Amino acid sequence: MIDLDRVRRETPGCEAFIHFDNAGASPMPEPVFRSVTGHLDAERAVGGYEAERRAKPALDSFYTGIARLLNAGPDEIAFAENATRAWDMAVYALPLKEGDRVITHGSEYASNMLAFLQLAARWGIGIDIAPSDESGQIDVAALDRLVTSRTKVIALTHVPTQGGLVNPAEEVGAIARKHGLIYVLDACQSVGQIDIDVSKIGCDILTCTGRKYLRGPRGTGFLYIGRRLAERLDPPFIDLHSAVWTGERRYDMASGARRFENYESNVAGRIGLAKAVDYSLAIGLPDIEARVSDLAATLRRELARLPGIDVHDLGDRKCGIVTFSAEGLDPFDLRSALFQRNISTSVSTAEHALLDLGRRGTGPINRASVHYFNTEQEIDRFLSAVLAVQKDL
Ligand SMILES: *Cc1c(COP(=O)(O)O)cnc(C)c1O
């Protein structure tokens, strides 16, 4: 059981504000906030280098904490400034050549699709889009049939930004293993709200950001890359942290995931994200997952009962993200009106999800995303606010 009084006390913003944009940027818990400002204080006092040396245990815990979170090894974790760069560092390092094919799905994150389109233009790779099954998740049987001898990679977004769907990551992992394919999982929206085990999922690469369900600081993220694969990949950029200059004309790559990091980074951010991971682990991912999906199921059910509201979430299995639209109400106006009532939500647009919202023809839709520190009372207040806005606008 989650100690709700405590997690709410440690989320001071939730007294005056209903945070329903946890899939956008969730507020940092107090201990995370203090670890960031504490490090900035130390930098001010003794300078950035000495502060970093003194923070070594906290910085080491970044790797061990995330390894525990994912059931991976600390040498398989790299810090990145965000999830997109983490994904790019790994994907632009893949040994793809003209005629090779990657398979992805309509729920793929926009930046990942843009990267594949750039690689299609640059290297001549082909992109196949696996169809959805009738629930809207990736159709695993169809995916299996889509694989050819040219296929090298399966890329999947575990939980899309624009809906509550949870893709069957483990089943996709079994297909990847069966065909000997590299499996890249964008777990940006799932880590921190869903209990993740990379050895069960069978992904080779996993990426995540700090600010969403992990409740870390902005400008942070990480890459998980399996040990054996990491040693085979040549990162798109290297520096004196990811490689060692061993002779005037020679260098060795750092081993493990470190070859995907760079030297200079936001040290306070790394410390903050390490703390955020510890905080999530201390609460317990199974409890977080149960509470988040319960709250979201309540929100989805009650929203669907309101007049003029459509709920848009797809998938057999759903998570903390709830998408909806209100008849006759511009989604951006609704978001602003809710914000004026001290409720944060966001809007997902078709331009950011052409293969999903674009194909469904929804136009922009509203998104409310709950976390474990939210409450049933907040859901009630949110529903009343939506009703009030429907009357006003
Ligand atoms: C937010 C998000 C990203 C990008 O994360 P950044 O840290 O902003 O780069 C990638 N994939 C999904 C599914 C996301 O929701």
Side-chain angles (χ1 to χ4, degrees):
M1 273 291 283
I2 296 176
D3 183 346
L4 206 57
D5 284 343
R6 174 164 176 198
V7 294
R8 286 184 69 80
R9 209 166 49 241
E10 292 178 341
T11 308
C14 73
E15 257 171 55
F17 206 83
I18 298 184
H19 288 277
F20 274 11
D21 190 19
N22 296 292
S26 190
M28 284 183 268
E30 216 34 28
V32 175
F33 178 78
R34 281 200 310 270
S35 74
V36 173
T37 56
H39 188 73
L40 294 175
D41 283 341
E43 287 189 346
R44 185 172 58 178
V46 299
Y49 281 13
E50 179 57 19
E52 182 174 359
R53 274 189 289 273
R54 291 182 189 181
K56 187 166 186 308
L59 288 164
D60 288 346
S61 78
F62 175 85
Y63 301 96
T64 51
I66 295 172
R68 242 181 86 207
L69 184 70
L70 304 178
N71 190 24
D75 59 320
E76 297 177 309
I77 308 300
F79 176 79
E81 61 265 45
N82 56 57
T84 305
R85 276 297 169 271
W87 193 94
D88 291 340
M89 281 299 277
V91 169
Y92 282 75
L94 295 175
L96 294 172
K97 52 185 192 317
E98 191 171 353
D100 287 345
R101 306 195 69 83
V102 300
I103 303 179
T104 181
H105 175 246
S107 55
E108 188 63 275
Y109 188 65
S111 299
N112 303 349
M113 257 320 279
L114 289 168
F116 279 142
L117 292 171
Q118 187 184 42
L119 292 182
R122 183 183 286 180
W123 295 345
I125 64 163
I127 307 166
D128 297 307
I129 309 295
S132 303
D133 67 15
E134 63 287 351
S135 80
Q137 67 180 25
I138 187 170
D139 184 331
V140 179
L143 166 69
D144 191 19
R145 290 193 297 272
L146 210 52
V147 175
T148 70
S149 57
R150 314 301 302 266
T151 307
K152 297 292 182 297
V153 174
I154 297 176
L156 183 69
T157 290
H158 196 187
V159 168
T161 255
Q162 68 276 0
L165 154 82
V166 183
N167 268 313
E170 251 182 86
E171 287 85 335
V172 170
I175 303 292
R177 249 194 320 275
K178 172 176 152 191
H179 296 283
L181 304 175
I182 294 172
Y183 178 20
V184 184
L185 189 68
D186 176 337
C188 220
Q189 292 293 4
S190 52
V191 175
Q193 69 156 318
I194 290 174
D195 197 11
I196 300 277
D197 181 332
V198 289
S199 73
K200 272 198 202 143
I201 292 175
C203 55
D204 304 289
I205 292 164
L206 177 148
T207 52
C208 183
T209 200
R211 72 182 182 280
K212 296 179 180 173
Y213 276 94
L214 280 173
R215 308 183 65 196
R218 296 204 60 180
T220 64
F222 65 82
L223 166 69
Y224 155 83
I225 181 159
R227 203 167 281 130
R228 285 205 317 276
L229 180 62
E231 302 301 323
R232 285 170 37 211
L233 297 190
D234 191 17
F237 314 110
I238 56 174
D239 72 357
L240 46 65
H241 173 83
S242 58
V244 187
W245 201 8
T246 49
E248 283 191 16
R249 303 293 173 110
R250 277 185 294 114
Y251 65 89
D252 286 339
M253 294 302 307
S255 67
R258 177 170 164 158
R259 67 177 58 187
F260 295 94
E261 290 186 334
N262 50 57
Y263 170 73
E264 176 58 356
S265 67
N266 178 353
V267 177
R270 270 154 66 198
I271 290 169
L273 181 51
K275 193 72 181 177
V277 167
D278 282 351
Y279 194 83
S280 298
L281 285 168
I283 295 171
L285 268 297
D287 284 354
I288 292 174
E289 183 178 329
R291 179 165 172 85
V292 170
S293 72
D294 280 358
L295 284 172
T298 304
L299 175 55
R300 219 174 268 124
R301 189 187 62 232
E302 297 304 318
L303 258 179
R305 283 196 183 140
L306 297 188
I309 299 285
D310 284 322
V311 173
H312 297 291
D313 300 318
L314 304 175
D316 252 359
R317 178 177 168 203
K318 296 186 181 68
C319 64
I321 298 176
V322 179
T323 52
F324 63 99
S325 49
E327 215 175 281
L329 256 185
D330 178 80
F332 294 97
D333 291 345
L334 175 54
R335 180 187 60 182
S336 305
L338 290 171
F339 191 72
Q340 277 162 17
R341 288 165 168 81
N342 294 329
I343 302 171
S344 63
T345 58
S346 74
V347 175
S348 296
T349 62
E351 296 84 81
H352 286 173
L354 282 184
L355 296 175
D356 180 6
L357 301 186
R359 285 183 178 179
R360 285 196 264 160
T362 60
I365 55 177
N366 292 94
R367 182 185 75 180
S369 44
V370 295
H371 216 327
Y372 57 78
F373 60 82
N374 290 129
T375 63
E376 267 90 7
Q377 293 88 314
E378 286 179 330
I379 291 178
D380 288 342
R381 279 160 57 202
F382 170 80
L383 294 165
S384 307
V386 170
L387 274 172
V389 175
Q390 279 178 309
K391 285 214 187 76
D392 284 4
L393 287 185

